[in-house]
Amino acid sequence: MGSERRYIDNLNISDIPWHRMLTAYDRAERYPELFRILDSMENLDDVKQAWNDISDFEHQSTFFTPAPFAVVFLVRIREKALNAPENPVAVWLSDKLTEEFSYYSEICGYAEKSEHPEPLPEFSDMLDDRYLIPVDFDFANIDDYDYYMDEFIERLLPEDLFYSLYYYTGIILKEVI
């Protein structure tokens, strides 16, 4: 875990091709902006809206490709929030993230107990080009969105990647729960 820990500790928001990652409803291209809003902990309404928007890396106990990467940055934001007990926005956010981390950890536990393939060897392997949305792909030009998304998800989320989303998210959460 030494190399994984170094990778996670040194990961920057700009290292992640968010615009090429699939969420439950769209791409994760707005994630850097949403992390900035959450990290600012300035306006509760803005923070709540940013949380609502960014939480689409999980839907009905299913993780999408941004999940382990998003959790890295959310853990950092939670640590900052925990150190600002005088800020009511930070208190709300730390409570919300603590609750969600517990839920995500539970989901990871279920995945671990089920039959699954080996995870990808490295955390960073989840950023391999074959698992990312093609650069020139345009969701707006799809006639049957639901049908296409089913095929698209199946191609972009092979079993080893799908399990890796839970495996690596679980590793991160074990340190904070």
Side-chain angles (χ1 to χ4, degrees):
M1 181 61 184
S3 66
E4 293 302 316
R5 181 78 259 157
R6 279 191 300 284
Y7 176 78
I8 292 167
D9 289 346
N10 292 306
L11 194 60
N12 291 308
I13 289 174
S14 61
D15 295 337
I16 311 302
W18 301 105
H19 65 291
R20 297 187 61 202
M21 297 181 120
L22 185 66
T23 70
Y25 303 109
D26 202 356
R27 297 177 191 240
E29 63 193 342
R30 289 193 54 229
Y31 277 33
E33 171 194 350
L34 299 171
F35 288 128
R36 185 191 55 71
I37 293 167
L38 293 172
D39 189 64
S40 74
M41 298 177 220
E42 291 176 4
N43 178 292
L44 185 57
D45 290 337
D46 291 345
V47 166
K48 284 181 176 181
Q49 184 61 54
W51 169 254
N52 187 55
D53 292 347
I54 208 166
S55 65
D56 65 355
F57 63 80
E58 180 275 331
H59 180 68
Q60 296 180 349
S61 301
T62 300
F63 285 154
F64 289 81
T65 52
F69 301 98
V71 169
V72 167
F73 300 107
L74 293 172
V75 164
R76 293 176 189 173
I77 290 168
R78 179 177 167 258
E79 288 172 9
K80 180 179 174 183
L82 288 170
N83 289 315
E86 70 289 344
N87 178 343
V89 178
V91 170
W92 180 88
L93 187 56
S94 66
D95 289 347
K96 181 66 172 172
L97 289 173
T98 298
E99 175 185 322
E100 293 299 318
F101 290 169
S102 178
Y103 170 63
Y104 300 153
S105 184
E106 189 176 308
I107 293 170
C108 292
Y110 292 139
E112 189 64 35
K113 291 175 186 169
S114 67
E115 188 175 326
H116 56 75
E118 289 294 314
L120 297 171
E122 303 286 331
F123 192 103
S124 60
D125 290 343
M126 293 180 287
L127 293 177
D128 188 285
D129 197 55
R130 67 186 159 182
Y131 304 133
L132 300 172
I133 298 169
V135 175
D136 59 349
F137 185 78
D138 183 6
F139 284 109
N141 291 328
I142 300 172
D143 292 331
D144 187 348
Y145 182 82
D146 290 335
Y147 175 77
Y148 188 83
M149 286 307 292
D150 288 343
E151 282 191 23
F152 194 66
I153 288 170
E154 191 172 311
R155 186 172 55 82
L156 282 179
L157 289 174
E159 288 184 23
D160 56 348
L161 172 64
F162 189 67
Y163 174 65
S164 295
L165 300 175
Y166 297 86
Y167 176 79
Y168 287 107
T169 299
I171 286 175
I172 296 163
L173 292 173
K174 283 178 186 170
E175 296 181 12
V176 298
I177 299 241

